[in-house]
């Protein structure tokens, strides 16, 4: 399966025509729904897969594919994130993304567990004003896969249409880190995956 996050390379990209973008996004969502409904590694509990009709998504919102300015942290600081299992996991804060939504300025931090591992994606966990109402109460994730090291001041695209619900929302056997308070947005991001219930 190709995760939705693979569609974002984490670098500056030219925005595609909205129609082409929406078509690609819908195809990606259909592929993910097929995986969740039938694959042995799906987080959907086996007893719910026969009735699974797909995840719930916000309508595609090309305007929430935002251009951000990256500030790279040369000496990443550790951050202890609480998990849904009640323990903590250690990440390091490797980059800050500054951007605007509807004219208001926001920041999100990107994290890694192994900052020197170029293969590990940059995790951007976040909460927003939809959390616990329209989206999973534990928050959502965006993953970025930059090619090579990010440069300070680089323009990076964060596509909130690719914001996804962590596996722990579907199955308690999974443990997921919860977005730290520094990544709580004071705005509603109505893009990406909505909350799911069997």
């Amino acid at each position: 399966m190709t995760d939705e996050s693979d569609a974002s390379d984490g670098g500056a990209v030219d925005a595609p025509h909205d129609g082409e973008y929406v078509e690609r996004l819908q195809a990606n969502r259909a592929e993910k729904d097929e995986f969740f409904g039938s694959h042995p590694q799906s987080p959907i509990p086996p007893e719910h897969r026969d009735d699974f009709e797909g995840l719930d998504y916000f309508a595609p919102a090309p305007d929430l594919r935002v251009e951000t300015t990256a500030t790279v942290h040369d000496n990443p600081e550790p951050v202890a994130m609480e998990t849904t299992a009640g323990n903590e996991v250690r990440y390091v804060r490797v980059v800050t993304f500054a951007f605007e939504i509807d004219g208001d300025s926001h920041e999100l931090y990107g994290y890694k567990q192994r900052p020197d591992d170029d293969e590990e994606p940059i995790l951007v966990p976040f909460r927003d004003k939809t959390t616990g109402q329209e989206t999973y109460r534990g928050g959502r994730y965006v993953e970025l896969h930059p090619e090579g090291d990010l440069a300070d001041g680089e323009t990076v695209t964060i596509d909130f249409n690719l914001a996804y619900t962590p596996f722990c929302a579907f199955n308690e056997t999974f443990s997921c880190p919860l977005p730290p308070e520094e990544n709580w947005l004071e705005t509603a991001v109505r893009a990406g995956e909505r909350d799911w219930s069997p």
Side-chain angles (χ1 to χ4, degrees):
M1 182 191 80
T2 302
D3 190 277
E4 283 193 330
S5 59
D6 292 342
S8 172
D9 64 4
V13 294
D14 294 328
H17 296 296
D18 286 356
E20 296 174 0
Y21 170 75
V22 170
E23 183 177 345
R24 187 177 63 189
L25 179 66
Q26 298 286 37
N28 197 290
R29 289 176 171 182
E31 183 180 358
K32 184 166 187 176
D33 285 345
E34 182 178 355
F35 173 88
F36 270 46
S38 60
H39 198 280
Q41 294 180 349
S42 168
I44 302 294
E47 64 270 22
H48 295 303
R49 288 180 197 166
D50 287 346
D51 296 326
F52 178 74
E53 297 181 351
L55 298 175
D56 193 10
Y57 302 92
F58 287 102
D63 59 320
L64 287 174
R65 190 174 188 265
V66 301
E67 299 288 300
T68 77
T69 301
T71 300
V72 177
H73 299 207
D74 293 330
N75 298 298
E77 297 180 359
V79 177
M81 294 190 194
E82 296 182 9
T83 72
T84 52
N87 62 315
E88 290 185 344
V89 291
R90 180 183 178 276
Y91 280 78
V92 292
R93 189 187 300 115
V94 296
V95 60
T96 303
F97 298 108
F99 57 96
E100 291 188 356
I101 293 179
D102 294 332
D104 293 325
S105 298
H106 302 279
E107 286 187 345
L108 284 173
Y109 293 102
Y111 309 89
K112 284 189 172 186
Q113 288 191 300
R114 302 172 301 279
D116 296 326
D117 184 354
D118 292 336
E119 299 299 319
E120 181 184 357
I122 296 173
L123 178 66
V124 185
F126 71 96
R127 292 171 57 106
D128 66 282
K129 292 298 186 181
T130 72
T131 301
Q133 301 179 61
E134 298 171 88
T135 59
Y136 173 54
R137 56 184 169 77
R140 292 180 291 165
Y141 299 165
V142 174
E143 288 183 1
L144 302 178
H145 301 258
E147 296 180 4
D149 294 333
L150 289 178
D152 207 45
E154 183 175 346
T155 300
V156 177
T157 300
I158 291 183
D159 188 352
F160 286 106
N161 291 278
L162 306 181
Y164 67 93
T165 306
F167 277 12
C168 53
F170 308 98
N171 194 322
E172 292 183 352
T173 62
F174 293 94
S175 175
C176 305
L178 299 170
E181 190 170 353
E182 63 190 17
N183 266 26
W184 295 8
L185 294 174
E186 292 296 323
T187 189
V189 179
R190 291 188 170 88
E193 292 181 15
R194 299 167 65 104
D195 202 6
W196 177 84
S197 59

